[in-house]
Amino acid sequence: MPTFTAVTQITGKSLAEAVGERLEALLPEPTGVGVFEVEDGSDLWEVTAYFNETPDAIELALLAKANGVTDFEIAELPETDWVAKVRRDLAPVEAGRFFVYGAHDADKLPDDKIGLLIEAAMAFGTGHHGTTLGCLRAFDRLLTEGRTFDTVADIGCGTAVLGMAAAKVSDRTVYASDIDEVAVEVAQSNVDANGLTGQVVCLEAAGFAHETLIAKAPYDLVFANILKGPLIGLAPDMAAQVKEGGVAILSGILHAQADEVIEVYSRSGFNLIHREEIVDWTSLTLVRSSEK
């Protein structure tokens, strides 16, 4: 069955969401509508509608004009076995001692690697994205240096791959939180699939705003793989919840944003000890000093 897409880019979240809602009322009716922020700090949003039959170009043009946005670009996607494609594209990823893989590649797990099983349908946070890979490499680097971590939190955990990595090298309980309810469900599924039920505790929370996260602080290590804005907003809480000499591994930062994040965290008492750039993304490793 062919699939058609109609795509436009819009400045501003509220207008993008409004256009997304209006797309749902079109005939033929779209099978789905996506509204996603372009992660470059420009407040630009991509709005995409998906159709099983050719969309009405005139209706789309009128909708664009009525809302003062650029015309939709209509395209037909080739018929694709998407499950097979995703499995091909999501080949196993090595990050130091860690090996991130899907169930279809279970036979490829090397004996000398620590396996982290993430299903292909849960692509963000599998290790293929530069942010997650950077965090895993940073963590592996610290372990190689002989660092140990008794208390660990994974803030904005997504698939919980980072929290699971910490749990795999220790018998300590790790706390993984996300602001999104669905992400927490995904995280719990991955935790269960990796045999870490009870050792990685999945929580729904914005930042550290959960009684369990606060009760278990201060932390030796906190992962925060989110975006620049939330990371900057999180800096004071990070300083309060990471113990002196503790580590924060941050990512979700475009290269051009890294210096600003470093400056904000420096004012909150963190010293940069390592930064790594992978494709478009920078990952930072910082240590909390004795002065805040």
Side-chain angles (χ1 to χ4, degrees):
M1 178 183 297
T3 299
F4 297 86
T5 62
V7 183
T8 188
Q9 290 191 331
I10 299 171
T11 300
K13 179 180 180 181
S14 59
L15 179 57
E17 290 178 340
V19 171
E21 290 179 4
R22 289 160 193 158
L23 280 168
E24 295 176 358
L26 290 180
L27 292 175
E29 184 178 351
T31 57
V33 174
V35 179
F36 301 101
E37 184 177 13
V38 178
E39 296 176 349
D40 62 358
S42 65
D43 197 28
L44 194 64
W45 294 71
E46 186 171 275
V47 180
T48 305
Y50 301 86
F51 301 85
N52 286 335
E53 55 184 299
T54 307
D56 189 325
I58 294 176
E59 287 296 320
L60 286 168
L62 290 173
L63 177 62
K65 186 174 183 179
N67 290 277
V69 302
T70 58
D71 289 338
F72 286 87
E73 294 186 9
I74 300 172
E76 181 178 356
L77 301 180
E79 293 190 40
T80 304
D81 183 341
W82 290 107
V83 172
K85 176 175 171 38
V86 168
R87 288 180 172 179
R88 286 195 303 271
D89 291 348
L90 295 185
V93 171
E94 291 190 35
R97 71 200 67 205
F98 300 107
F99 187 88
V100 185
Y101 67 100
H104 57 286
D105 282 321
D107 59 334
K108 298 178 182 178
L109 175 61
D111 293 336
D112 61 343
K113 298 291 183 180
I114 297 171
L116 297 166
L117 171 61
I118 304 290
E119 282 305 328
M122 302 166 183
F124 188 84
T126 60
H128 295 79
H129 198 274
T131 61
T132 309
L133 180 58
C135 289
L136 285 172
R137 287 181 177 176
F139 182 46
D140 178 72
R141 188 179 304 109
L142 293 168
L143 295 174
T144 299
E145 293 170 358
R147 295 289 300 257
T148 58
F149 306 98
D150 291 333
T151 51
V152 178
D154 182 3
I155 304 298
C157 64
T159 60
V161 64
L162 301 175
M164 293 192 302
K168 290 269 189 172
V169 298
S170 169
D171 59 359
R172 304 288 186 176
T173 302
V174 174
Y175 298 89
S177 70
D178 201 285
I179 195 171
D180 182 77
E181 180 182 358
V182 174
V184 175
E185 293 173 0
V186 168
Q188 187 64 59
S189 296
N190 286 323
V191 166
D192 296 342
N194 282 268
L196 295 170
T197 306
Q199 189 181 351
V200 178
V201 177
C202 299
L203 305 166
E204 184 178 345
F208 290 95
H210 193 287
E211 57 185 8
T212 299
L213 290 171
I214 294 171
K216 299 302 178 180
Y219 294 95
D220 295 311
L221 171 65
V222 174
F223 297 102
N225 180 16
I226 39 181
L227 290 171
K228 184 200 81 169
L231 282 174
I232 287 176
L234 194 62
D237 285 344
M238 192 76 75
Q241 306 302 340
V242 175
K243 66 178 59 173
E244 179 182 332
V247 176
I249 296 177
L250 312 181
S251 198
I253 308 163
L254 294 166
H255 300 327
Q257 301 169 341
D259 288 342
E260 182 181 355
V261 175
I262 293 168
E263 180 182 355
V264 169
Y265 274 77
S266 176
R267 293 200 300 266
S268 293
F270 287 87
N271 297 319
L272 178 70
I273 61 172
H274 192 272
R275 67 189 288 173
E276 181 175 8
E277 297 183 355
I278 301 176
V279 192
D280 297 323
W281 302 95
T282 295
S283 298
L284 306 174
T285 305
L286 307 106
V287 173
R288 216 212 86 189
S289 64
S290 58
E291 298 182 1
K292 292 192 285 183

